[in-house]
Amino acid sequence: MLDSGKITLIDKQIMWNRLLAVVEEQAQVCQRTAFSTIVRESGDLAAGVFDAQGRMLAQAVTGTPGHINSMALAVGHVIDAYPVETMQEGDVYIHNDPWMGTGHLNDISITTPCFHDGQLVGFLACNSHILDIGGINDWSSSTDVFMEGLYLPILKLVDGGRVNESLIAVIRANTRQPVETVGDVYSLMNCNAVGCDRLAEMMTEFGLTTLDLLADHIIDTSREAVLEKIRALPRGTWTSEIMLDGQSEPILLKAALTIAEDGITVDYAGSAPMTKHNFNVPLCYTLAYTSYALGVSIVGDIPNNAGSLEPRRVAAPEGCILNALKPAAVVARHLMGLMLPDLVFNCLRQALPDRIPAEGAGVLWNLRAVGPWHSPARFDDSFMVGLVTTGGMGSLPYRDGMSATGFPSGVRGGPVEIFESMSTIVVWKKELNPDSGGAGTHRGGLGQWIEMGNALPEPFEIGNAYERILFPARGANGGSDGLAGDVRLDDGRDLRAKGRHIVPAGHRVVLKSPGGGGSGDPRQRARADVARDLEKGYVSLAAARSLYSWED
């Protein structure tokens, strides 16, 4: 057993790295064993280890900011509901409360107390996206959270090693995909169990009886490292606003970012009030993507934990769209939440013009399809599938934006072969959309051009939840805007960006995701870069001539 007085800084750093390895294995187990394609193929999940006080010590690299950063608060909510002195080895807790988890009911959170030599030493927590949790099957029309599926408060799923089969039965009875949904719950429990085993092995190896000393080191070191970076920044307050498509009317988001000695605060006062539609955002999700934007632009490679997150603060008036109150409809909270990095970047660009990207596509352009496996259609013989698709990232002041990327979500685009194998849908075309990246000294990333239809002579249904059709990604520093998105049928009929649509038999959906904004004067783009874009088909000859003054 290590004497606390003899644990060196090197010992602590080695143990910290081991914690990072523990949670990464935890996340990889979740991804490998998940039933949902968005988890298994696209990595829409998070995993982390917490100390006995509920402070997050480490999170896996595998995962998405919406899950990762909001999960930091989850264990504290569990401890509030079930005090640690009431917990026993073999307990597992479950919930999908949008205001205590990741912002909507489709994300289930699992928390597992971890015991070592009979003593509670910490917690393993994880969450992932569940494709169907019941509720209405129209992804745009819910008007309160109770329409959006099964709402689970913090409950004990496993009591001393004994699974609550009644609760499992409730979950199974409230989803259109009982095998997949219950399978994902067990996948989450399993990855926590693996994480607990690895944590206990680590503590045995290093002779630890508690994580207290290591936890204090991780949190204090990380906090100070972030504050050191913040102290090197200019002081002041910068403001920005962004207009989004919304549904019945556009949505205005505003931010005021203040850099001070003790941290950075982003205040969203002045943003639109809660909407009757379902893209209201619980504050935990607002915090998640605000923290992420500050992290990638300022914090850099300092790992996420309670200490590194502490200097990043968020304020939003209760009842605004970014601090929605229960029972607001929130299933599409990502439509606003994923746009927050651009809003934050627009503030930061005024203070740090040499490192901040132009606006990007932001919101994922996911394909959701429902239809019959066979004709005639039967409810119990239908498919429900989802495929993550992406647009272009805004360019940085020193390089082009990435094309067809999930930034800022971190969700990867899934293989169309998996999508097709689980449905009768055929993806006939999936390629980069030429001229969709905003022109500039550095070009914005390209969006995608996708066409899909049913292989059966049957109609099928798609659900749209898209942004950047009315208001494209704006360029920066003289760069051009990215190309707006577009979704329609192959006969030219326009489809609403948010809604449920029947695709007639024999027709295809044509989807063009948005491009990212450019940065800098397009006429200053290097000739070799324009030539390369022409060769690869990223830019048409007509666009090269008009935007970049290209001469053959």
Side-chain angles (χ1 to χ4, degrees), residues 488-544:
R488 61 187 63 243
L489 295 179
D490 55 359
D491 60 9
R493 279 181 283 175
D494 185 56
L495 299 180
R496 298 188 314 278
K498 297 176 179 70
R500 181 181 180 185
H501 307 287
I502 300 297
V503 180
H507 284 275
R508 298 180 186 177
V509 175
V510 180
L511 183 149
K512 298 179 182 179
S513 63
S519 182
D521 186 347
R523 293 169 297 182
Q524 300 301 315
R525 185 164 176 79
R527 298 298 89 181
D529 291 339
V530 178
R532 184 198 64 219
D533 285 352
L534 283 166
E535 180 184 356
K536 293 182 176 293
Y538 298 162
V539 175
S540 67
L541 182 59

Side-chain angles (χ1 to χ4, degrees), residues 335-348:
L335 295 180
M336 301 293 111
L338 289 179
M339 307 309 295
L340 296 181
D342 276 346
L343 188 59
V344 173
F345 291 155
N346 289 344
C347 292
L348 284 173

Side-chain angles (χ1 to χ4, degrees), residues 359-362 389-395 400-407 430-439 442-450 473 481-485 512-518 525 529 532-534 536-540 548:
E359 292 181 4
T389 60
T390 55
M393 177 185 172
S395 63
D400 293 348
M402 294 184 290
S403 297
T405 176
F407 182 84
K430 187 174 187 286
E431 59 189 44
L432 294 177
N433 188 20
D435 296 333
S436 57
H442 299 286
R443 174 184 44 73
L446 275 62
Q448 297 186 77
W449 183 326
I450 299 171
D481 295 348
L483 188 67
K512 298 179 182 179
S513 63
R525 185 164 176 79
D529 291 339
R532 184 198 64 219
D533 285 352
L534 283 166
K536 293 182 176 293
Y538 298 162
V539 175
S540 67
Y548 297 108

Side-chain angles (χ1 to χ4, degrees), residues 22-208:
V22 165
V23 294
E24 186 58 33
E25 182 175 354
Q26 176 193 3
Q28 292 290 337
V29 169
C30 181
Q31 188 166 9
R32 289 196 303 269
T33 59
F35 283 59
S36 291
T37 54
I38 195 170
V39 179
R40 193 176 66 246
E41 307 297 336
S42 301
D44 198 8
L45 63 106
V49 61
F50 298 70
D51 70 3
Q53 300 175 50
R55 299 181 299 175
M56 186 176 68
L57 303 183
Q59 285 188 331
V61 174
T62 298
T64 66
H67 286 274
I68 288 171
N69 289 338
S70 56
M71 190 185 69
L73 305 175
V75 173
H77 294 307
V78 173
I79 292 174
D80 288 342
Y82 294 86
V84 292
E85 58 268 19
T86 68
M87 296 178 179
Q88 60 180 325
E89 195 161 359
D91 287 351
V92 179
Y93 302 90
I94 185 172
H95 77 279
N96 67 344
D97 188 316
W99 286 268
M100 295 184 181
T102 57
H104 70 180
L105 297 178
N106 287 79
D107 294 331
I108 285 183
S109 294
I110 299 288
T111 301
T112 304
C114 186
F115 287 75
H116 178 57
D117 292 337
Q119 179 77 23
L120 190 149
V121 294
F123 296 87
L124 274 294
C126 61
N127 53 49
S128 72
H129 187 89
I130 306 296
L131 187 60
D132 184 80
I133 198 68
I136 59 175
N137 201 13
D138 180 348
W139 297 278
S140 65
S141 65
S142 57
T143 56
D144 65 46
V145 70
F146 302 112
M147 300 173 68
E148 297 175 346
L150 177 64
Y151 195 131
L152 296 169
I154 299 173
L155 299 169
K156 188 178 284 189
L157 178 61
V158 183
D159 187 354
R162 191 169 196 168
V163 176
N164 185 338
E165 295 295 347
S166 296
L167 180 52
I168 291 291
V170 169
I171 296 171
R172 182 181 292 111
N174 280 275
T175 173
R176 299 171 187 86
Q177 297 185 311
V179 173
E180 292 86 347
T181 300
V182 173
D184 280 333
V185 170
Y186 276 98
S187 169
L188 291 165
M189 283 195 286
N190 181 55
C191 82
N192 274 4
V194 169
C196 281
D197 288 345
R198 297 297 177 268
L199 179 60
E201 289 170 6
M202 183 202 104
M203 294 183 69
T204 297
E205 179 180 342
F206 290 99
L208 298 179

